[in-house]
């Protein structure tokens, strides 16, 4: 069965500094990977996804992630963060493109933007 | 894009009562919806997969009789927390797949349940 590990529960970073949120996964088959963002008291919003093709995926709000099969990682990056990026970020994995297959989430990483 | 609506967004109830949470897909049909539960500062835990016209598929450890799921139409799934207790207090989030066909979820805004 697939699983997702987000190594950092919290990441503090100064405004306009770069940030990387780490995500590692385990699976016995090909995977499809996602990053979601959750603002306080809200549902989740898709940041970006990797389904196939280029391993560097660009998403909304200036975020990007790189799929590294050999390291089983899908780290999220942004070159310059803004105060509005303060939120919880979840990495997720699915073993199928099938619409009915479940998606498993990591425990989340809280991004704190320091002024 | 696809929108999933949840109602109510916040509900407070007395211990022992039942609470129903609705999840609607707006402008698209969803044969499958997913119900997640999120405790404070924790990740989402998949509770069950709601299947239109058939029984829901529950994850291990989730009580079927406690969390009743009904998916009576292609745009509506409901989660009923029966005989609620304070430990059921949580943030419940539903989701459905975007119409693009890929396994990408659109989430509702969530429903916060507080059981007194």
């Amino acid at each position: 069965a697939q699983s997702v590990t987000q190594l950092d529960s919290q990441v503090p970073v100064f405004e306009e500094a770069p940030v990387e949120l780490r995500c590692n996964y385990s699976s016995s088959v090909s995977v499809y990977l996602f990053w979601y963002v959750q603002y306080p008291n809200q549902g989740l919003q898709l940041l970006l996804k990797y389904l196939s093709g280029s391993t560097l995926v660009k998403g909304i709000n200036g975020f990007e992630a790189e799929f590294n099969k050999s390291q089983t990682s899908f780290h999220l990056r942004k070159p310059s963060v803004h105060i509005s990026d303060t939120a919880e970020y979840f990495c997720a994995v699915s073993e199928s493109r099938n619409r009915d297959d479940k998606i498993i989430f990591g425990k989340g990483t809280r991004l704190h933007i320091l002024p | 894009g696809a929108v999933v609506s949840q109602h109510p967004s916040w509900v407070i109830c007395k211990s022992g009562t039942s609470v129903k949470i609705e999840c609607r897909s707006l402008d698209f049909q969803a044969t499958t919806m997913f119900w997640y539960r999120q405790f404070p500062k924790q990740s989402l835990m998949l509770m069950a997969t709601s299947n239109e016209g058939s029984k829901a598929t529950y994850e291990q450890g989730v009580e079927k009789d406690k969390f009743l799921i009904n998916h009576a139409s292609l745009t509506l799934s409901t989660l009923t927390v029966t005989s609620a207790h304070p430990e059921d207090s949580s943030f419940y989030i539903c989701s459905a797949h975007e119409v693009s066909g890929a396994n990408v979820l659109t989430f509702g805004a969530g429903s916060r349940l507080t059981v007194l």
Side-chain angles (χ1 to χ4, degrees):
Chain A
Q2 70 268 39
S3 66
V4 179
T5 302
Q6 290 182 248
L7 297 171
D8 306 302
S9 59
Q10 296 188 56
V11 173
V13 62
F14 286 104
E15 195 170 13
E16 298 184 6
V19 68
E20 178 180 83
L21 305 183
R22 295 182 292 171
C23 173
N24 289 88
Y25 68 90
S26 66
S27 174
S28 58
V29 298
S30 298
V31 294
Y32 305 95
L33 296 156
F34 311 86
W35 275 98
Y36 285 86
V37 59
Q38 184 180 33
Y39 298 101
N41 295 312
Q42 294 187 28
L44 273 70
Q45 179 183 4
L46 180 68
L47 270 180
L48 48 79
K49 61 183 182 289
Y50 171 78
L51 301 179
S52 65
S54 173
T55 57
L56 182 62
V57 180
K58 293 188 182 298
I60 62 172
N61 300 341
F63 283 94
E64 64 179 32
E66 186 159 16
F67 170 56
N68 188 318
K69 188 174 182 180
S70 62
Q71 296 185 6
T72 61
S73 68
F74 191 55
H75 300 331
L76 180 71
R77 303 186 184 98
K78 185 170 183 177
S80 176
V81 296
H82 189 268
I83 195 75
S84 60
D85 294 322
T86 298
E88 189 91 16
Y89 292 80
F90 293 95
C91 183
V93 63
S94 173
E95 289 184 340
S96 170
R97 295 185 71 134
N98 189 307
R99 288 162 56 90
D100 296 335
D101 280 357
K102 58 189 178 186
I103 295 176
I104 302 300
F105 288 82
K107 292 188 176 181
T109 298
R110 183 167 297 275
L111 180 60
H112 291 285
I113 307 300
L114 308 172
Chain B
V3 177
V4 173
S5 174
Q6 270 187 256
H7 177 80
S9 56
W10 200 304
V11 56
I12 301 173
C13 69
K14 292 183 179 180
S15 185
T17 60
S18 295
V19 175
K20 179 185 287 186
I21 300 170
E22 294 185 348
C23 178
R24 294 182 184 273
S25 57
L26 305 182
D27 299 328
F28 72 100
Q29 295 179 335
T31 56
T32 304
M33 290 185 175
F34 300 91
W35 285 96
Y36 289 85
R37 181 175 181 177
Q38 185 181 33
F39 291 102
K41 299 183 180 181
Q42 295 190 30
S43 186
L44 284 76
M45 181 191 77
L46 180 63
M47 298 175 66
T49 302
S50 173
N51 304 301
E52 187 271 334
S54 64
K55 292 182 179 180
T57 305
Y58 289 82
E59 294 300 304
Q60 190 174 8
V62 178
E63 299 176 60
K64 300 178 182 180
D65 296 332
K66 175 73 172 177
F67 300 99
L68 300 179
I69 291 174
N70 183 278
H71 196 151
S73 78
L74 289 171
T75 59
L76 174 63
S77 175
T78 61
L79 168 68
T80 301
V81 182
T82 63
S83 186
H85 289 143
E87 57 263 32
D88 298 325
S89 299
S90 190
F91 196 50
Y92 293 89
I93 308 176
C94 74
S95 65
H97 285 104
E98 295 178 1
V99 295
S100 64
N103 195 5
V104 177
L105 292 174
T106 298
F107 284 83
S111 299
R112 184 166 299 284
L113 171 63
T114 301
V115 184
L116 302 178

